[in-house]
PDB file of all heavy atoms in Angstrom:
ATOM      1  N   GLY A 774      96.660  35.612  62.203  1.00 90.00           N
ATOM      2  CA  GLY A 774      97.989  35.221  62.661  1.00 90.00           C
ATOM      3  C   GLY A 774      99.080  36.259  62.530  1.00 90.00           C
ATOM      4  O   GLY A 774     100.250  35.960  62.823  1.00 90.00           O
ATOM      5  N   VAL A 775      98.758  37.489  62.115  1.00 94.00           N
ATOM      6  CA  VAL A 775      99.794  38.509  61.918  1.00 94.00           C
ATOM      7  C   VAL A 775      99.659  39.684  62.881  1.00 94.00           C
ATOM      8  O   VAL A 775     100.505  40.596  62.867  1.00 94.00           O
ATOM      9  CB  VAL A 775      99.784  39.021  60.461  1.00 94.00           C
ATOM     10  CG1 VAL A 775     100.182  37.904  59.503  1.00 94.00           C
ATOM     11  CG2 VAL A 775      98.430  39.612  60.081  1.00 94.00           C
ATOM     12  N   VAL A 776      98.614  39.674  63.710  1.00 94.00           N
ATOM     13  CA  VAL A 776      98.421  40.754  64.689  1.00 94.00           C
ATOM     14  C   VAL A 776      98.142  40.139  66.070  1.00 94.00           C
ATOM     15  O   VAL A 776      97.174  40.475  66.739  1.00 94.00           O
ATOM     16  CB  VAL A 776      97.285  41.717  64.280  1.00 94.00           C
ATOM     17  CG1 VAL A 776      97.709  42.585  63.112  1.00 94.00           C
ATOM     18  CG2 VAL A 776      96.011  40.954  63.925  1.00 94.00           C
ATOM     19  N   ASP A 777      99.030  39.253  66.485  1.00 94.00           N
ATOM     20  CA  ASP A 777      98.828  38.547  67.746  1.00 94.00           C
ATOM     21  C   ASP A 777      98.734  39.495  68.939  1.00 94.00           C
ATOM     22  O   ASP A 777      97.973  39.255  69.868  1.00 94.00           O
ATOM     23  CB  ASP A 777      99.954  37.541  67.977  1.00 94.00           C
ATOM     24  CG  ASP A 777      99.884  36.366  67.005  1.00 94.00           C
ATOM     25  OD1 ASP A 777      98.791  36.141  66.421  1.00 94.00           O
ATOM     26  OD2 ASP A 777     100.907  35.676  66.801  1.00 94.00           O
ATOM     27  N   ARG A 778      99.522  40.571  68.914  1.00 95.00           N
ATOM     28  CA  ARG A 778      99.487  41.528  70.027  1.00 95.00           C
ATOM     29  C   ARG A 778      98.121  42.204  70.117  1.00 95.00           C
ATOM     30  O   ARG A 778      97.570  42.383  71.203  1.00 95.00           O
ATOM     31  CB  ARG A 778     100.588  42.574  69.865  1.00 95.00           C
ATOM     32  CG  ARG A 778     101.997  42.035  70.116  1.00 95.00           C
ATOM     33  CD  ARG A 778     103.051  43.034  69.704  1.00 95.00           C
ATOM     34  NE  ARG A 778     102.871  44.331  70.365  1.00 95.00           N
ATOM     35  CZ  ARG A 778     103.546  45.430  70.019  1.00 95.00           C
ATOM     36  NH1 ARG A 778     104.426  45.392  69.024  1.00 95.00           N
ATOM     37  NH2 ARG A 778     103.339  46.561  70.670  1.00 95.00           N
ATOM     38  N   LEU A 779      97.561  42.584  68.970  1.00 96.00           N
ATOM     39  CA  LEU A 779      96.242  43.214  68.965  1.00 96.00           C
ATOM     40  C   LEU A 779      95.165  42.230  69.416  1.00 96.00           C
ATOM     41  O   LEU A 779      94.269  42.572  70.185  1.00 96.00           O
ATOM     42  CB  LEU A 779      95.912  43.740  67.569  1.00 96.00           C
ATOM     43  CG  LEU A 779      96.849  44.816  66.993  1.00 96.00           C
ATOM     44  CD1 LEU A 779      96.323  45.283  65.639  1.00 96.00           C
ATOM     45  CD2 LEU A 779      96.990  45.989  67.949  1.00 96.00           C
ATOM     46  N   SER A 780      95.267  40.996  68.931  1.00 96.00           N
ATOM     47  CA  SER A 780      94.310  39.963  69.317  1.00 96.00           C
ATOM     48  C   SER A 780      94.367  39.693  70.816  1.00 96.00           C
ATOM     49  O   SER A 780      93.347  39.576  71.484  1.00 96.00           O
ATOM     50  CB  SER A 780      94.583  38.680  68.534  1.00 96.00           C
ATOM     51  OG  SER A 780      93.724  37.636  68.958  1.00 96.00           O
ATOM     52  N   ASP A 781      95.588  39.599  71.341  1.00 96.00           N
ATOM     53  CA  ASP A 781      95.756  39.357  72.777  1.00 96.00           C
ATOM     54  C   ASP A 781      95.168  40.498  73.598  1.00 96.00           C
ATOM     55  O   ASP A 781      94.519  40.269  74.624  1.00 96.00           O
ATOM     56  CB  ASP A 781      97.239  39.180  73.096  1.00 96.00           C
ATOM     57  CG  ASP A 781      97.489  38.927  74.573  1.00 96.00           C
ATOM     58  OD1 ASP A 781      97.112  37.848  75.068  1.00 96.00           O
ATOM     59  OD2 ASP A 781      98.042  39.821  75.243  1.00 96.00           O
ATOM     60  N   THR A 782      95.381  41.734  73.156  1.00 96.00           N
ATOM     61  CA  THR A 782      94.823  42.890  73.866  1.00 96.00           C
ATOM     62  C   THR A 782      93.302  42.873  73.842  1.00 96.00           C
ATOM     63  O   THR A 782      92.640  43.122  74.854  1.00 96.00           O
ATOM     64  CB  THR A 782      95.336  44.199  73.239  1.00 96.00           C
ATOM     65  OG1 THR A 782      96.757  44.248  73.342  1.00 96.00           O
ATOM     66  CG2 THR A 782      94.742  45.409  73.948  1.00 96.00           C
ATOM     67  N   ALA A 783      92.733  42.582  72.676  1.00 96.00           N
ATOM     68  CA  ALA A 783      91.278  42.574  72.525  1.00 96.00           C
ATOM     69  C   ALA A 783      90.614  41.524  73.395  1.00 96.00           C
ATOM     70  O   ALA A 783      89.555  41.771  73.986  1.00 96.00           O
ATOM     71  CB  ALA A 783      90.892  42.360  71.066  1.00 96.00           C
ATOM     72  N   GLN A 784      91.216  40.328  73.499  1.00 93.00           N
ATOM     73  CA  GLN A 784      90.579  39.240  74.239  1.00 93.00           C
ATOM     74  C   GLN A 784      90.996  39.159  75.701  1.00 93.00           C
ATOM     75  O   GLN A 784      90.483  38.316  76.436  1.00 93.00           O
ATOM     76  CB  GLN A 784      90.845  37.900  73.565  1.00 93.00           C
ATOM     77  CG  GLN A 784      92.280  37.485  73.434  1.00 93.00           C
ATOM     78  CD  GLN A 784      92.438  36.207  72.638  1.00 93.00           C
ATOM     79  OE1 GLN A 784      92.162  35.136  73.142  1.00 93.00           O
ATOM     80  NE2 GLN A 784      92.869  36.304  71.408  1.00 93.00           N
ATOM     81  N   ASN A 785      91.884  40.058  76.129  1.00 94.00           N
ATOM     82  CA  ASN A 785      92.308  40.053  77.531  1.00 94.00           C
ATOM     83  C   ASN A 785      92.159  41.438  78.168  1.00 94.00           C
ATOM     84  O   ASN A 785      91.124  41.753  78.752  1.00 94.00           O
ATOM     85  CB  ASN A 785      93.750  39.541  77.648  1.00 94.00           C
ATOM     86  CG  ASN A 785      93.846  38.048  77.354  1.00 94.00           C
ATOM     87  OD1 ASN A 785      93.372  37.223  78.133  1.00 94.00           O
ATOM     88  ND2 ASN A 785      94.473  37.681  76.241  1.00 94.00           N
ATOM     89  N   ALA A 786      93.204  42.260  78.062  1.00 94.00           N
ATOM     90  CA  ALA A 786      93.215  43.532  78.785  1.00 94.00           C
ATOM     91  C   ALA A 786      92.039  44.437  78.434  1.00 94.00           C
ATOM     92  O   ALA A 786      91.350  44.964  79.311  1.00 94.00           O
ATOM     93  CB  ALA A 786      94.538  44.254  78.517  1.00 94.00           C
ATOM     94  N   LEU A 787      91.784  44.615  77.142  1.00 96.00           N
ATOM     95  CA  LEU A 787      90.760  45.568  76.714  1.00 96.00           C
ATOM     96  C   LEU A 787      89.364  45.124  77.129  1.00 96.00           C
ATOM     97  O   LEU A 787      88.583  45.930  77.663  1.00 96.00           O
ATOM     98  CB  LEU A 787      90.829  45.763  75.200  1.00 96.00           C
ATOM     99  CG  LEU A 787      89.901  46.839  74.610  1.00 96.00           C
ATOM    100  CD1 LEU A 787      90.159  48.188  75.258  1.00 96.00           C
ATOM    101  CD2 LEU A 787      90.089  46.930  73.093  1.00 96.00           C
ATOM    102  N   ILE A 788      89.024  43.851  76.892  1.00 95.00           N
ATOM    103  CA  ILE A 788      87.688  43.386  77.245  1.00 95.00           C
ATOM    104  C   ILE A 788      87.518  43.344  78.760  1.00 95.00           C
ATOM    105  O   ILE A 788      86.430  43.588  79.283  1.00 95.00           O
ATOM    106  CB  ILE A 788      87.387  42.011  76.605  1.00 95.00           C
ATOM    107  CG1 ILE A 788      85.883  41.717  76.668  1.00 95.00           C
ATOM    108  CG2 ILE A 788      88.179  40.888  77.262  1.00 95.00           C
ATOM    109  CD1 ILE A 788      85.472  40.489  75.887  1.00 95.00           C
ATOM    110  N   ASN A 789      88.596  43.058  79.504  1.00 95.00           N
ATOM    111  CA  ASN A 789      88.503  43.038  80.962  1.00 95.00           C
ATOM    112  C   ASN A 789      88.255  44.430  81.524  1.00 95.00           C
ATOM    113  O   ASN A 789      87.421  44.619  82.419  1.00 95.00           O
ATOM    114  CB  ASN A 789      89.777  42.445  81.567  1.00 95.00           C
ATOM    115  CG  ASN A 789      89.885  40.946  81.345  1.00 95.00           C
ATOM    116  OD1 ASN A 789      88.885  40.275  81.099  1.00 95.00           O
ATOM    117  ND2 ASN A 789      91.093  40.416  81.415  1.00 95.00           N
ATOM    118  N   ILE A 790      88.981  45.411  81.016  1.00 95.00           N
ATOM    119  CA  ILE A 790      88.789  46.796  81.461  1.00 95.00           C
ATOM    120  C   ILE A 790      87.368  47.265  81.142  1.00 95.00           C
ATOM    121  O   ILE A 790      86.683  47.860  81.984  1.00 95.00           O
ATOM    122  CB  ILE A 790      89.824  47.726  80.802  1.00 95.00           C
ATOM    123  CG1 ILE A 790      91.228  47.412  81.324  1.00 95.00           C
ATOM    124  CG2 ILE A 790      89.484  49.191  81.060  1.00 95.00           C
ATOM    125  CD1 ILE A 790      92.342  48.091  80.549  1.00 95.00           C
ATOM    126  N   THR A 791      86.924  46.974  79.930  1.00 95.00           N
ATOM    127  CA  THR A 791      85.578  47.377  79.525  1.00 95.00           C
ATOM    128  C   THR A 791      84.514  46.699  80.375  1.00 95.00           C
ATOM    129  O   THR A 791      83.507  47.312  80.738  1.00 95.00           O
ATOM    130  CB  THR A 791      85.350  47.053  78.039  1.00 95.00           C
ATOM    131  OG1 THR A 791      86.388  47.620  77.249  1.00 95.00           O
ATOM    132  CG2 THR A 791      84.020  47.611  77.559  1.00 95.00           C
ATOM    133  N   THR A 792      84.739  45.417  80.721  1.00 93.00           N
ATOM    134  CA  THR A 792      83.782  44.677  81.544  1.00 93.00           C
ATOM    135  C   THR A 792      83.625  45.302  82.926  1.00 93.00           C
ATOM    136  O   THR A 792      82.522  45.360  83.477  1.00 93.00           O
ATOM    137  CB  THR A 792      84.215  43.206  81.678  1.00 93.00           C
ATOM    138  OG1 THR A 792      84.246  42.601  80.381  1.00 93.00           O
ATOM    139  CG2 THR A 792      83.240  42.427  82.550  1.00 93.00           C
ATOM    140  N   ILE A 793      84.726  45.794  83.499  1.00 95.00           N
ATOM    141  CA  ILE A 793      84.663  46.445  84.811  1.00 95.00           C
ATOM    142  C   ILE A 793      83.723  47.643  84.768  1.00 95.00           C
ATOM    143  O   ILE A 793      82.791  47.765  85.569  1.00 95.00           O
ATOM    144  CB  ILE A 793      86.065  46.880  85.276  1.00 95.00           C
ATOM    145  CG1 ILE A 793      86.928  45.663  85.581  1.00 95.00           C
ATOM    146  CG2 ILE A 793      85.965  47.782  86.512  1.00 95.00           C
ATOM    147  CD1 ILE A 793      88.384  46.009  85.859  1.00 95.00           C
ATOM    148  N   PHE A 794      83.967  48.533  83.818  1.00 93.00           N
ATOM    149  CA  PHE A 794      83.151  49.747  83.737  1.00 93.00           C
ATOM    150  C   PHE A 794      81.729  49.447  83.274  1.00 93.00           C
ATOM    151  O   PHE A 794      80.779  50.094  83.715  1.00 93.00           O
ATOM    152  CB  PHE A 794      83.819  50.768  82.816  1.00 93.00           C
ATOM    153  CG  PHE A 794      85.080  51.345  83.384  1.00 93.00           C
ATOM    154  CD1 PHE A 794      86.319  50.970  82.896  1.00 93.00           C
ATOM    155  CD2 PHE A 794      85.039  52.242  84.430  1.00 93.00           C
ATOM    156  CE1 PHE A 794      87.488  51.478  83.439  1.00 93.00           C
ATOM    157  CE2 PHE A 794      86.194  52.773  84.980  1.00 93.00           C
ATOM    158  CZ  PHE A 794      87.427  52.382  84.486  1.00 93.00           C
ATOM    159  N   LEU A 795      81.584  48.456  82.397  1.00 90.00           N
ATOM    160  CA  LEU A 795      80.252  48.065  81.945  1.00 90.00           C
ATOM    161  C   LEU A 795      79.438  47.503  83.112  1.00 90.00           C
ATOM    162  O   LEU A 795      78.272  47.852  83.295  1.00 90.00           O
ATOM    163  CB  LEU A 795      80.360  47.037  80.827  1.00 90.00           C
ATOM    164  CG  LEU A 795      79.044  46.629  80.158  1.00 90.00           C
ATOM    165  CD1 LEU A 795      78.484  47.769  79.345  1.00 90.00           C
ATOM    166  CD2 LEU A 795      79.259  45.430  79.247  1.00 90.00           C
ATOM    167  N   GLY A 796      80.060  46.626  83.920  1.00 90.00           N
ATOM    168  CA  GLY A 796      79.360  46.036  85.055  1.00 90.00           C
ATOM    169  C   GLY A 796      78.944  47.073  86.084  1.00 90.00           C
ATOM    170  O   GLY A 796      77.818  47.065  86.576  1.00 90.00           O
ATOM    171  N   LEU A 797      79.861  47.989  86.421  1.00 93.00           N
ATOM    172  CA  LEU A 797      79.521  49.056  87.366  1.00 93.00           C
ATOM    173  C   LEU A 797      78.411  49.949  86.810  1.00 93.00           C
ATOM    174  O   LEU A 797      77.524  50.388  87.551  1.00 93.00           O
ATOM    175  CB  LEU A 797      80.764  49.895  87.671  1.00 93.00           C
ATOM    176  CG  LEU A 797      81.844  49.223  88.531  1.00 93.00           C
ATOM    177  CD1 LEU A 797      83.102  50.086  88.591  1.00 93.00           C
ATOM    178  CD2 LEU A 797      81.330  48.967  89.955  1.00 93.00           C
ATOM    179  N   SER A 798      78.453  50.205  85.506  1.00 90.00           N
ATOM    180  CA  SER A 798      77.430  51.045  84.873  1.00 90.00           C
ATOM    181  C   SER A 798      76.066  50.379  84.907  1.00 90.00           C
ATOM    182  O   SER A 798      75.048  51.023  85.176  1.00 90.00           O
ATOM    183  CB  SER A 798      77.823  51.358  83.427  1.00 90.00           C
ATOM    184  OG  SER A 798      79.060  52.023  83.365  1.00 90.00           O
ATOM    185  N   VAL A 799      76.031  49.072  84.631  1.00 87.00           N
ATOM    186  CA  VAL A 799      74.772  48.337  84.711  1.00 87.00           C
ATOM    187  C   VAL A 799      74.261  48.342  86.153  1.00 87.00           C
ATOM    188  O   VAL A 799      73.072  48.554  86.407  1.00 87.00           O
ATOM    189  CB  VAL A 799      74.961  46.889  84.204  1.00 87.00           C
ATOM    190  CG1 VAL A 799      73.715  46.058  84.493  1.00 87.00           C
ATOM    191  CG2 VAL A 799      75.233  46.890  82.701  1.00 87.00           C
ATOM    192  N   GLY A 800      75.166  48.122  87.104  1.00 89.00           N
ATOM    193  CA  GLY A 800      74.778  48.155  88.512  1.00 89.00           C
ATOM    194  C   GLY A 800      74.220  49.496  88.943  1.00 89.00           C
ATOM    195  O   GLY A 800      73.357  49.568  89.823  1.00 89.00           O
ATOM    196  N   SER A 801      74.693  50.573  88.314  1.00 90.00           N
ATOM    197  CA  SER A 801      74.192  51.908  88.671  1.00 90.00           C
ATOM    198  C   SER A 801      72.709  52.056  88.393  1.00 90.00           C
ATOM    199  O   SER A 801      72.046  52.920  88.973  1.00 90.00           O
ATOM    200  CB  SER A 801      74.984  52.986  87.914  1.00 90.00           C
ATOM    201  OG  SER A 801      74.596  53.038  86.537  1.00 90.00           O
ATOM    202  N   LYS A 802      72.180  51.246  87.502  1.00 86.00           N
ATOM    203  CA  LYS A 802      70.770  51.325  87.158  1.00 86.00           C
ATOM    204  C   LYS A 802      69.878  50.518  88.108  1.00 86.00           C
ATOM    205  O   LYS A 802      68.671  50.415  87.897  1.00 86.00           O
ATOM    206  CB  LYS A 802      70.547  50.873  85.715  1.00 86.00           C
ATOM    207  CG  LYS A 802      71.181  51.818  84.708  1.00 86.00           C
ATOM    208  CD  LYS A 802      70.652  53.238  84.892  1.00 86.00           C
ATOM    209  CE  LYS A 802      71.348  54.257  84.055  1.00 86.00           C
ATOM    210  NZ  LYS A 802      70.798  55.639  84.246  1.00 86.00           N
ATOM    211  N   LEU A 803      70.503  49.942  89.130  1.00 87.00           N
ATOM    212  CA  LEU A 803      69.730  49.257  90.167  1.00 87.00           C
ATOM    213  C   LEU A 803      69.275  50.219  91.262  1.00 87.00           C
ATOM    214  O   LEU A 803      68.794  49.779  92.305  1.00 87.00           O
ATOM    215  CB  LEU A 803      70.566  48.131  90.798  1.00 87.00           C
ATOM    216  CG  LEU A 803      70.876  46.925  89.905  1.00 87.00           C
ATOM    217  CD1 LEU A 803      71.853  45.981  90.584  1.00 87.00           C
ATOM    218  CD2 LEU A 803      69.597  46.184  89.553  1.00 87.00           C
ATOM    219  N   VAL A 804      69.433  51.503  91.043  1.00 88.00           N
ATOM    220  CA  VAL A 804      69.021  52.496  92.040  1.00 88.00           C
ATOM    221  C   VAL A 804      67.513  52.380  92.277  1.00 88.00           C
ATOM    222  O   VAL A 804      66.718  52.245  91.340  1.00 88.00           O
ATOM    223  CB  VAL A 804      69.430  53.918  91.589  1.00 88.00           C
ATOM    224  CG1 VAL A 804      68.742  54.317  90.296  1.00 88.00           C
ATOM    225  CG2 VAL A 804      69.194  54.918  92.676  1.00 88.00           C
ATOM    226  N   ALA A 805      67.116  52.415  93.539  1.00 87.00           N
ATOM    227  CA  ALA A 805      65.759  52.024  93.942  1.00 87.00           C
ATOM    228  C   ALA A 805      64.660  52.837  93.268  1.00 87.00           C
ATOM    229  O   ALA A 805      63.688  52.278  92.748  1.00 87.00           O
ATOM    230  CB  ALA A 805      65.628  52.128  95.463  1.00 87.00           C
ATOM    231  N   ASP A 806      64.788  54.168  93.255  1.00 82.00           N
ATOM    232  CA  ASP A 806      63.677  54.997  92.772  1.00 82.00           C
ATOM    233  C   ASP A 806      63.449  54.880  91.268  1.00 82.00           C
ATOM    234  O   ASP A 806      62.408  55.304  90.766  1.00 82.00           O
ATOM    235  CB  ASP A 806      63.875  56.463  93.175  1.00 82.00           C
ATOM    236  CG  ASP A 806      65.151  57.057  92.608  1.00 82.00           C
ATOM    237  OD1 ASP A 806      65.976  56.298  92.074  1.00 82.00           O
ATOM    238  OD2 ASP A 806      65.345  58.285  92.723  1.00 82.00           O
ATOM    239  N   LYS A 807      64.402  54.324  90.551  1.00 80.00           N
ATOM    240  CA  LYS A 807      64.230  54.124  89.111  1.00 80.00           C
ATOM    241  C   LYS A 807      63.940  52.671  88.765  1.00 80.00           C
ATOM    242  O   LYS A 807      63.239  52.383  87.802  1.00 80.00           O
ATOM    243  CB  LYS A 807      65.478  54.591  88.359  1.00 80.00           C
ATOM    244  CG  LYS A 807      65.752  56.078  88.463  1.00 80.00           C
ATOM    245  CD  LYS A 807      67.007  56.448  87.693  1.00 80.00           C
ATOM    246  CE  LYS A 807      67.285  57.934  87.786  1.00 80.00           C
ATOM    247  NZ  LYS A 807      68.517  58.315  87.042  1.00 80.00           N
ATOM    248  N   PHE A 808      64.479  51.763  89.545  1.00 82.00           N
ATOM    249  CA  PHE A 808      64.370  50.348  89.216  1.00 82.00           C
ATOM    250  C   PHE A 808      63.062  49.736  89.692  1.00 82.00           C
ATOM    251  O   PHE A 808      62.492  48.890  89.008  1.00 82.00           O
ATOM    252  CB  PHE A 808      65.550  49.585  89.831  1.00 82.00           C
ATOM    253  CG  PHE A 808      65.689  48.173  89.358  1.00 82.00           C
ATOM    254  CD1 PHE A 808      66.263  47.894  88.134  1.00 82.00           C
ATOM    255  CD2 PHE A 808      65.247  47.112  90.126  1.00 82.00           C
ATOM    256  CE1 PHE A 808      66.383  46.588  87.685  1.00 82.00           C
ATOM    257  CE2 PHE A 808      65.368  45.809  89.693  1.00 82.00           C
ATOM    258  CZ  PHE A 808      65.942  45.551  88.468  1.00 82.00           C
ATOM    259  N   LEU A 809      62.597  50.142  90.855  1.00 79.00           N
ATOM    260  CA  LEU A 809      61.410  49.530  91.438  1.00 79.00           C
ATOM    261  C   LEU A 809      60.138  50.195  90.939  1.00 79.00           C
ATOM    262  O   LEU A 809      59.495  50.962  91.627  1.00 79.00           O
ATOM    263  CB  LEU A 809      61.482  49.593  92.977  1.00 79.00           C
ATOM    264  CG  LEU A 809      62.638  48.805  93.621  1.00 79.00           C
ATOM    265  CD1 LEU A 809      62.669  49.031  95.115  1.00 79.00           C
ATOM    266  CD2 LEU A 809      62.520  47.327  93.298  1.00 79.00           C
ATOM    267  N   ASP A 810      59.780  49.935  89.712  1.00 80.00           N
ATOM    268  CA  ASP A 810      58.499  50.380  89.176  1.00 80.00           C
ATOM    269  C   ASP A 810      57.900  49.275  88.322  1.00 80.00           C
ATOM    270  O   ASP A 810      58.553  48.269  88.042  1.00 80.00           O
ATOM    271  CB  ASP A 810      58.627  51.701  88.389  1.00 80.00           C
ATOM    272  CG  ASP A 810      59.507  51.577  87.154  1.00 80.00           C
ATOM    273  OD1 ASP A 810      59.480  50.537  86.492  1.00 80.00           O
ATOM    274  OD2 ASP A 810      60.224  52.542  86.853  1.00 80.00           O
ATOM    275  N   VAL A 811      56.669  49.443  87.908  1.00 80.00           N
ATOM    276  CA  VAL A 811      55.923  48.390  87.232  1.00 80.00           C
ATOM    277  C   VAL A 811      56.579  48.003  85.906  1.00 80.00           C
ATOM    278  O   VAL A 811      56.715  46.824  85.571  1.00 80.00           O
ATOM    279  CB  VAL A 811      54.461  48.821  86.999  1.00 80.00           C
ATOM    280  CG1 VAL A 811      53.713  47.772  86.183  1.00 80.00           C
ATOM    281  CG2 VAL A 811      53.758  49.039  88.328  1.00 80.00           C
ATOM    282  N   ASN A 812      56.990  49.012  85.129  1.00 79.00           N
ATOM    283  CA  ASN A 812      57.575  48.729  83.820  1.00 79.00           C
ATOM    284  C   ASN A 812      58.877  47.941  83.941  1.00 79.00           C
ATOM    285  O   ASN A 812      59.140  47.026  83.153  1.00 79.00           O
ATOM    286  CB  ASN A 812      57.817  50.027  83.064  1.00 79.00           C
ATOM    287  CG  ASN A 812      56.559  50.554  82.403  1.00 79.00           C
ATOM    288  OD1 ASN A 812      55.524  49.883  82.368  1.00 79.00           O
ATOM    289  ND2 ASN A 812      56.620  51.759  81.872  1.00 79.00           N
ATOM    290  N   THR A 813      59.701  48.294  84.935  1.00 82.00           N
ATOM    291  CA  THR A 813      60.962  47.578  85.120  1.00 82.00           C
ATOM    292  C   THR A 813      60.711  46.125  85.493  1.00 82.00           C
ATOM    293  O   THR A 813      61.344  45.212  84.960  1.00 82.00           O
ATOM    294  CB  THR A 813      61.807  48.258  86.207  1.00 82.00           C
ATOM    295  OG1 THR A 813      62.110  49.591  85.807  1.00 82.00           O
ATOM    296  CG2 THR A 813      63.106  47.493  86.425  1.00 82.00           C
ATOM    297  N   LEU A 814      59.782  45.919  86.407  1.00 81.00           N
ATOM    298  CA  LEU A 814      59.446  44.554  86.791  1.00 81.00           C
ATOM    299  C   LEU A 814      58.844  43.790  85.611  1.00 81.00           C
ATOM    300  O   LEU A 814      59.088  42.589  85.451  1.00 81.00           O
ATOM    301  CB  LEU A 814      58.473  44.574  87.978  1.00 81.00           C
ATOM    302  CG  LEU A 814      59.036  45.213  89.267  1.00 81.00           C
ATOM    303  CD1 LEU A 814      57.969  45.242  90.359  1.00 81.00           C
ATOM    304  CD2 LEU A 814      60.266  44.474  89.755  1.00 81.00           C
ATOM    305  N   GLY A 815      58.071  44.496  84.774  1.00 83.00           N
ATOM    306  CA  GLY A 815      57.534  43.877  83.563  1.00 83.00           C
ATOM    307  C   GLY A 815      58.635  43.462  82.599  1.00 83.00           C
ATOM    308  O   GLY A 815      58.576  42.394  81.981  1.00 83.00           O
ATOM    309  N   ILE A 816      59.662  44.307  82.468  1.00 85.00           N
ATOM    310  CA  ILE A 816      60.805  43.997  81.607  1.00 85.00           C
ATOM    311  C   ILE A 816      61.540  42.762  82.120  1.00 85.00           C
ATOM    312  O   ILE A 816      61.914  41.877  81.351  1.00 85.00           O
ATOM    313  CB  ILE A 816      61.758  45.209  81.528  1.00 85.00           C
ATOM    314  CG1 ILE A 816      61.112  46.322  80.705  1.00 85.00           C
ATOM    315  CG2 ILE A 816      63.098  44.812  80.905  1.00 85.00           C
ATOM    316  CD1 ILE A 816      61.862  47.637  80.762  1.00 85.00           C
ATOM    317  N   LEU A 817      61.742  42.681  83.438  1.00 84.00           N
ATOM    318  CA  LEU A 817      62.394  41.514  84.024  1.00 84.00           C
ATOM    319  C   LEU A 817      61.581  40.245  83.774  1.00 84.00           C
ATOM    320  O   LEU A 817      62.138  39.191  83.452  1.00 84.00           O
ATOM    321  CB  LEU A 817      62.596  41.720  85.529  1.00 84.00           C
ATOM    322  CG  LEU A 817      63.635  42.775  85.936  1.00 84.00           C
ATOM    323  CD1 LEU A 817      63.602  42.997  87.438  1.00 84.00           C
ATOM    324  CD2 LEU A 817      65.024  42.354  85.495  1.00 84.00           C
ATOM    325  N   GLY A 818      60.247  40.361  83.918  1.00 85.00           N
ATOM    326  CA  GLY A 818      59.379  39.213  83.676  1.00 85.00           C
ATOM    327  C   GLY A 818      59.409  38.762  82.221  1.00 85.00           C
ATOM    328  O   GLY A 818      59.524  37.573  81.924  1.00 85.00           O
ATOM    329  N   LEU A 819      59.318  39.737  81.304  1.00 84.00           N
ATOM    330  CA  LEU A 819      59.367  39.410  79.880  1.00 84.00           C
ATOM    331  C   LEU A 819      60.734  38.837  79.500  1.00 84.00           C
ATOM    332  O   LEU A 819      60.834  37.949  78.653  1.00 84.00           O
ATOM    333  CB  LEU A 819      59.079  40.658  79.053  1.00 84.00           C
ATOM    334  CG  LEU A 819      57.621  41.133  79.015  1.00 84.00           C
ATOM    335  CD1 LEU A 819      57.539  42.527  78.413  1.00 84.00           C
ATOM    336  CD2 LEU A 819      56.747  40.158  78.225  1.00 84.00           C
ATOM    337  N   GLY A 820      61.782  39.342  80.135  1.00 83.00           N
ATOM    338  CA  GLY A 820      63.126  38.867  79.840  1.00 83.00           C
ATOM    339  C   GLY A 820      63.319  37.402  80.166  1.00 83.00           C
ATOM    340  O   GLY A 820      63.877  36.643  79.369  1.00 83.00           O
TER     341      GLY A 820
END
């Protein structure tokens, strides 16, 4: 209750900004020549 500004930043602006770059970064690994192999499909199945 004494750092409301920090808490608000952590649960709004900061996590939202990080989510944008995190999502784009995860999407970058969907590139065909790396993603479409047996081990990757095995990981998806095990997941």
